[in-house]
Amino acid sequence: MTIDELVRRTMREWAGEAHTPEDLAARVLAGRRRRRVRRAGAALAGAVAAAVAVAAVAVATPVLTGPERGSDRSAATADPTTRAGTTEVRARPGSSPPDGLIAAGRVAVYAYYVWRQKGDDPGNGVTRTWYLYDPAEDAYDKTPWATLDVAPGGRQAAVVEAYPASRVGLLTVETGEIRWVEVGQAVGAVRWSPDGTRLLATTYRRDPDGGYESPLEERRPARTGFALIDPAAGTSHRVALEPAADERNTRSDLDWSRDGTLVREHGSRFDTPYRFYDLDGKQVAAPPDESVAGSLEAGLSPSGELLAVHPRAAGPVETARPVETPPTAVPTSAEEQAVAAVRDLRTGEVTTYTPVSGYHIEQLLTWADDGHLVAWACEYAGGRKVCEGGEFRNRLVLLGADGREAIPLSGYREHSQRSGSWEPLFTPAEVIPQDEPHRARTARWGLSVYA
């Protein structure tokens, strides 16, 4: 790195420190400087001296707002850290994929992947290239892993080599050290438990990203079951669990229930979004409010009082069904076009997300805290068009649960369904004890660990 580059980077860091609340990012930047001092020595000292000479330059930080039609004002934001009410936000509205950490409230994007289609035929499958957040550099590094998951708090990751790897690596993010745990069967996905003490590995007899080997009517996923891994002991235990009879996707990964006591499988019906199994693979009843008809990916809020739902899930929570739209009707009003809402489970009141801060809310992904969700959203065009540039041109936003404000977190994906697009991995910013899952806390996104 040249002296000029070091000067410019140092100035950007100082500008960021001037606006970072509660010394949140300063600790990371300090750690990063210490590392660079060791690597750059006198060159860094010269760069700092040069920066001091021009330190009187004022740096203005624009306020994060909704988009102007045909423009992206937020891309000029200099300071990635801001607030939405009392919720701390670290945004990268000018980059897609993000060029630095995205975080809000209790969640952070510690990793993301870029997917690419194999060849010209979609049936050939996809490859995924994973990028893992490096807090020392405040950047995402390309990894060699076929899949991974980051533990709550961001200090550790579980990594898997290319199929048919039958072991899971336990990676310490700060040092890069890896311990391997043998599973005994090919692993296609891995998930940390909510408390960060166990791992759930989904096992396959065929590469889940390898494409289809038969006509549509004969397609069956190749999942064989799952393995429960004890990272502390370095042991694993396999359980057989074939996919449901109506499952047609080659990939059918398993996940944890909200409290980490059950295994969860995505359903294929509106009235049964999830199926649940005990740790021996026996199907059991769904926990209260975790498989409600019409519920969306974000699910329950941290307090358990709010539920992300489709706005046309009519009737009581227990019997909700979509309202049928006549096949000839084309939704033109904002209310008819809405596809995301939140239901208050205490009162039954539903807040439907019509355009918010100039965005059409497309998909509710996860809760940042009890008052905010992270969502995919497109720039609202109005009328039958709905989205400026099409529904697949979208960005991450932080959405107020009351539907009054949306703050951009990332730049726009130009086409989310096109090869080369990226998908974020959301991770709890810190470990949540099982005996107090709803305890209020101030998120620090694991950054202080590296100061």
Side-chain angles (χ1 to χ4, degrees):
M1 181 178 292
T2 67
I3 294 296
D4 288 342
E5 289 171 333
L6 285 168
V7 170
R8 287 194 295 270
R9 181 168 293 186
T10 302
M11 288 301 297
R12 287 197 300 269
E13 292 171 2
W14 287 10
E17 287 181 314
H19 298 280
T20 301
E22 300 182 8
D23 200 29
L24 229 174
R27 298 188 181 193
V28 173
L29 296 175
R32 179 166 53 176
R33 292 193 192 95
R34 288 196 294 272
R35 291 171 186 262
R36 288 174 177 168
V37 165
R38 290 195 292 269
R39 290 198 299 264
L44 179 58
V48 172
V52 169
V54 293
V57 177
V59 180
T61 303
V63 176
L64 296 176
T65 61
E68 287 182 347
R69 184 62 51 82
S71 68
D72 190 1
R73 289 181 299 168
S74 58
T77 302
D79 183 3
T81 306
T82 184
R83 284 184 178 272
T86 60
T87 300
E88 290 192 45
V89 181
R90 192 170 176 89
R92 302 288 176 165
S95 61
S96 177
D99 58 8
L101 184 68
I102 288 178
R106 59 184 289 276
V107 296
V109 179
Y110 289 126
Y112 69 86
Y113 68 84
V114 174
W115 66 271
R116 289 181 173 83
Q117 184 177 299
K118 297 178 181 177
D120 297 329
D121 185 352
N124 291 338
V126 299
T127 60
R128 289 177 170 87
T129 303
W130 280 90
Y131 294 79
L132 185 62
Y133 179 66
D134 177 3
E137 299 293 337
D138 189 26
Y140 295 90
D141 294 333
K142 183 178 179 180
T143 79
W145 315 117
T147 188
L148 60 82
D149 191 31
V150 182
R155 301 189 190 188
Q156 195 171 29
V159 300
V160 180
E161 299 157 302
Y163 188 90
S166 61
R167 62 179 186 171
V168 173
L170 305 174
L171 169 68
T172 301
V173 173
E174 186 176 15
T175 65
E177 297 177 355
I178 301 179
R179 285 191 301 117
W180 294 99
V181 178
E182 184 61 43
V183 173
Q185 195 164 12
V187 176
V190 64
R191 296 287 184 271
W192 286 93
S193 60
D195 64 0
T197 64
R198 295 163 296 155
L199 281 165
L200 176 69
T202 307
T203 57
Y204 290 88
R205 66 172 60 89
R206 189 175 69 247
D207 185 356
D209 290 330
Y212 297 108
E213 297 181 353
S214 61
L216 179 60
E217 62 271 12
E218 299 175 8
R219 291 175 185 174
R220 291 282 291 140
R223 191 184 74 209
T224 58
F226 61 89
L228 298 171
I229 299 174
D230 182 339
T235 59
S236 66
H237 169 66
R238 293 207 316 269
V239 178
L241 182 61
E242 293 283 335
D246 59 351
E247 181 61 67
R248 289 294 179 268
N249 293 316
T250 58
R251 177 174 286 280
S252 53
D253 299 340
L254 299 168
D255 202 350
W256 296 94
S257 62
R258 191 165 179 263
D259 64 1
T261 61
L262 300 173
V263 173
R264 187 179 72 175
E265 177 184 37
H266 280 270
S268 57
R269 293 166 53 91
F270 179 88
D271 58 347
T272 311
Y274 299 104
R275 288 179 287 266
F276 292 84
Y277 304 87
D278 64 21
L279 300 187
D280 293 320
K282 179 183 177 182
Q283 187 167 357
V284 296
D289 300 323
E290 283 202 51
S291 191
V292 174
S295 59
L296 302 179
E297 183 176 349
L300 286 165
S301 64
S303 67
E305 296 174 348
L306 303 175
L307 177 67
V309 296
H310 193 283
R312 287 180 290 281
V317 170
E318 296 80 5
T319 61
R321 294 292 186 276
V323 173
E324 296 296 332
T325 300
T328 56
V330 177
T332 56
S333 71
E335 290 74 18
E336 292 174 324
Q337 294 165 348
V339 294
V342 163
R343 182 193 297 273
D344 190 321
L345 297 178
R346 299 162 297 181
T347 65
E349 181 182 357
V350 174
T351 300
T352 299
Y353 299 127
T354 51
V356 181
S357 301
Y359 295 107
H360 171 68
I361 308 302
E362 297 181 303
Q363 187 178 2
L364 302 180
L365 301 170
T366 188
W367 289 87
D369 53 34
D370 278 319
H372 299 85
L373 302 102
V374 180
W376 284 118
C378 67
E379 184 178 354
Y380 184 63
R384 296 187 179 187
K385 190 176 180 181
V386 186
C387 294
E388 194 70 45
E391 63 180 304
F392 301 125
R393 180 181 180 269
N394 51 26
R395 74 191 322 175
L396 291 176
V397 301
L398 182 68
L399 172 68
D402 59 8
R404 296 179 180 177
E405 182 182 26
I407 295 175
L409 296 177
S410 76
Y412 282 99
R413 300 187 296 183
E414 288 307 315
H415 197 297
S416 63
Q417 302 303 300
R418 186 172 295 160
S419 181
S421 187
W422 66 281
E423 294 288 343
L425 174 67
F426 295 99
T427 301
E430 57 183 319
V431 178
I432 302 174
Q434 281 189 303
D435 58 346
E436 45 180 338
H438 311 315
R439 176 169 59 89
R441 54 177 58 78
T442 300
R444 297 193 69 85
W445 311 322
L447 300 183
S448 60
V449 172
Y450 305 100

